[in-house]
Amino acid sequence: MDQSSEVQTKEMDSTSMSSSRHQNEPYVHKVGIPPKQNLFKEFKATVKETFFHDDPLRPFKDQTRSRKLILGIQAIFPIVEWARDYNLSKFKGDIIAGLTIASLCIPQDIGYAKLANLDPQYGLYSSFVPPLIYAFMGSSRDIAIGPVAVVSLLLGTLLQNEIDPIKNKVEYRRLAFTATFFAGITQATLGCLRLGFLIDFLSHAAIVGFMGGAAITIALQQLKGFLGIKQFTKKSDIISVMHSVFASIEHGWNWQTILIGASFLSFLLFAKFLGKKNKKFFWVPAIAPLISVILSTFFVYITRADKQGVQIVNHIEKGINPPSVNQIYFSGDYLLKGFRIGVVAGMIALTEAIAIGRTFASMKDYQLDGNKEMVALGAMNVVGSMTSCYVATGSFSRSAVNYMAGCHTAFSNIIMSGVVFLTLEFITPLFKYTPNAILAAIIISAVLGLIDIEAAVLIWKIDKFDFVACMGAFFGVVFASVEIGLLIAVSISFAKILLQVTRPRTAILGKVPRTTVYRNIQQYPEATKVPGVLIVRVDSAIYFSNSNYIKERILRWLTDEEERLKAASLSRIQFLIVEMSPVTDIDTSGIHALEELLRSLEKRDIQLVLANPGPVVIDKLHASNFADSMGENRIFLTVADAVASCSPKLVEEV
């Protein structure tokens, strides 16, 4: 055998010996370190995901200049896009829907204006101009625009805290227009700056509670008109209202008024029941309010019940919206007050409209651009404030009727607006003898739908903390005021976020039998712990707000486990494995907490091991030199790899 053959044989023997030596050792994947990111590109990507996650400029890509211009116009005025495909079939559906929601909105608008402490015509004004603006700029096919009960009550409550609506009627109206202007500015600004995610901070549970409480408050406020009481409290809490109601029981109640109110409320509730029972009769509850107004007005007129103490609407000013630009406060003490009230009312109106829009968009399977909606709602309220309107938004009851009536596009809002225009021009004098009791009955029947008991029960079953937020908002509105309830709703929503951020969940993991999978031992009781190894999973990013808690919680897990092992005379913990799959990010405080954890474990002669840190986390661990100080050989791709490398014999035993 020549020399070269001998060397080759030795190398082969050496290779086979090496492979036989390592064939029993597990193959361990190394955790990948992502390439260094350009700081500008990383910042750009973060900004894009925060403000432009829906990539609004994608349709403009690779388009000609003229096409980009058309797309730009469509982005601002969606009507340009859907009008091209408009046909007779869609027009039929829209005109039926528009006429149906108009019959519902006219009596509601007169009642809602009273909630806002404004004259009846201002409610009608707000269903004439804003729906026209929205039809051109809105992206929802189903939303019906106009005044709504909750926003009307909120606006009325906040405004009367600043100005008496009876003694200073003109100043009160001017402040209402100012608040509407700033409500529109707030909405449009949020849309233009793409800050729509801010409204998501008001949780669904808080909204359910707030709406339910507002419904109770609105219904209680209607007892004044329903019972014919002349002297009534200006406060909205249930105790003040009920005290006012029972204090006037001997001399304040009017039996004719109660008879009218109770009769037509029963009729309205029956119509609602019929509409829910059979979807074919959706139009019955829609036209029932208008029928009630016509019948009750005729009844009062022929019997002259107004002479017997039945309070009536009296005069509704004829004609379309007069300009009100010169009535908005752009300076003086009321400017800041109008701004503050407008921001609150604008946010609530926006939350309601977006929630309604998303609901019907999902039912018809089309995309709703939240930021476009904000701009459209803002524009219509800014224009509305200049044309004698107060805050308008999407109405759930009208939108539901619009949807059921078979609307296809926002053209149904134009039809509704046209009917309101004709009403303002020709029909308003006929409402003179309309009793206040019928408006109270219409509002009570409308707001009862805002009380969602099923949703509250579901919230209780799913999340007890959410239920606390729901009930906090509800009782805050009912027993204090609308603004207090709103404040409680926002506060509890933020408290939940803070609690979840500062006190994230951690879990002890065990090995699921006959697998290499490690899961929470509380969820999988059959999962077994590995002797000598404690595996902890952190279910949150590690930030300054929770880093110290996470470190202390891990050490508490360790102390509890050591005491348990000592009591059972079992072998002590040698390795602490931290599963980091859910840890999406870590900051300098988080790194510092890991360094402190490492030092604490070294004093106990326990080795720290990390499993599956994400790209952002592993990059920061290397940038801070923490990976070097703890040892790169202690960072693994999976918990199974970590356990196998730390204690292979123990794993085989398990």
Side-chain angles (χ1 to χ4, degrees), residues 101-117:
I101 57 175
S103 67
L104 175 64
C105 87
I106 291 167
Q108 279 188 348
D109 290 344
I110 296 170
Y112 292 158
K114 285 187 173 292
L115 275 181
N117 300 313

Side-chain angles (χ1 to χ4, degrees), residues 82-359:
W82 58 257
R84 289 181 302 178
D85 301 323
Y86 205 67
N87 53 41
L88 186 61
S89 174
K90 290 181 179 179
F91 177 71
K92 286 178 182 176
D94 286 342
I95 198 165
I96 291 169
L99 291 171
T100 309
I101 57 175
S103 67
L104 175 64
C105 87
I106 291 167
Q108 279 188 348
D109 290 344
I110 296 170
Y112 292 158
K114 285 187 173 292
L115 275 181
N117 300 313
L118 292 166
D119 291 333
Q121 65 267 21
Y122 292 100
L124 293 169
Y125 291 162
S126 302
S127 278
F128 172 46
V129 173
L132 284 177
I133 305 297
Y134 182 84
F136 282 83
M137 299 185 68
S139 58
S140 173
R141 305 171 195 168
D142 303 282
I143 285 183
I145 297 296
V148 295
V150 173
V151 177
S152 299
L153 174 69
L154 178 66
L155 203 62
T157 305
L158 295 176
L159 289 172
Q160 74 176 3
N161 289 341
E162 306 296 339
I163 302 175
D164 191 303
I166 298 171
K167 293 179 182 177
N168 302 301
K169 204 169 188 178
V170 175
E171 287 83 358
Y172 181 89
R173 190 165 61 241
R174 290 186 66 185
L175 189 60
F177 296 150
T178 306
T180 302
F181 175 79
F182 285 111
I185 292 293
T186 301
Q187 293 168 338
T189 303
L190 288 174
C192 290
L193 298 180
R194 305 186 69 79
L195 297 173
F197 59 86
L198 291 177
I199 65 171
D200 292 333
F201 281 102
L202 196 61
S203 69
H204 171 69
I207 291 170
V208 169
F210 175 75
M211 290 294 189
I216 298 291
T217 302
I218 291 166
L220 290 173
Q221 291 283 309
Q222 299 317 300
L223 292 176
K224 178 186 178 182
F226 193 84
L227 302 173
I229 301 170
K230 292 180 180 178
Q231 298 297 323
F232 202 72
T233 181
K234 290 183 179 179
K235 295 180 181 179
S236 62
D237 63 283
I238 188 171
I239 295 171
S240 300
V241 170
M242 296 313 294
H243 180 268
S244 185
V245 167
F246 289 112
S248 58
I249 192 168
E250 290 184 11
H251 306 290
W253 292 18
N254 182 277
W255 71 267
Q256 293 99 327
T257 302
I258 296 170
L259 180 64
I260 293 169
S263 301
F264 283 101
L265 179 59
S266 302
F267 168 67
L268 290 166
L269 293 176
F270 175 74
K272 249 187 173 181
F273 171 77
L274 193 64
K276 281 186 177 180
K277 194 83 172 174
N278 193 331
K279 298 295 182 184
K280 291 179 181 179
F281 296 121
F282 71 90
W283 52 271
V284 174
I287 66 167
L290 190 60
I291 292 171
S292 301
V293 167
I294 293 168
L295 292 176
S296 61
T297 303
F298 180 70
F299 173 76
V300 170
Y301 177 73
I302 61 170
T303 61
R304 295 315 306 262
D306 55 308
K307 301 291 185 182
Q308 307 299 316
V310 174
Q311 297 175 34
I312 56 175
V313 171
N314 280 319
H315 177 66
I316 298 181
E317 199 166 313
K318 190 179 176 183
I320 60 170
N321 310 31
S324 56
V325 184
N326 59 339
Q327 295 188 48
I328 298 172
Y329 288 112
F330 290 111
S331 60
D333 294 338
Y334 289 126
L335 172 63
L336 284 176
K337 291 176 180 178
F339 174 77
R340 177 177 57 82
I341 295 169
V343 169
V344 175
M347 291 293 281
I348 293 298
L350 198 59
T351 304
E352 187 169 355
I354 297 296
I356 292 166
R358 284 175 179 168
T359 300

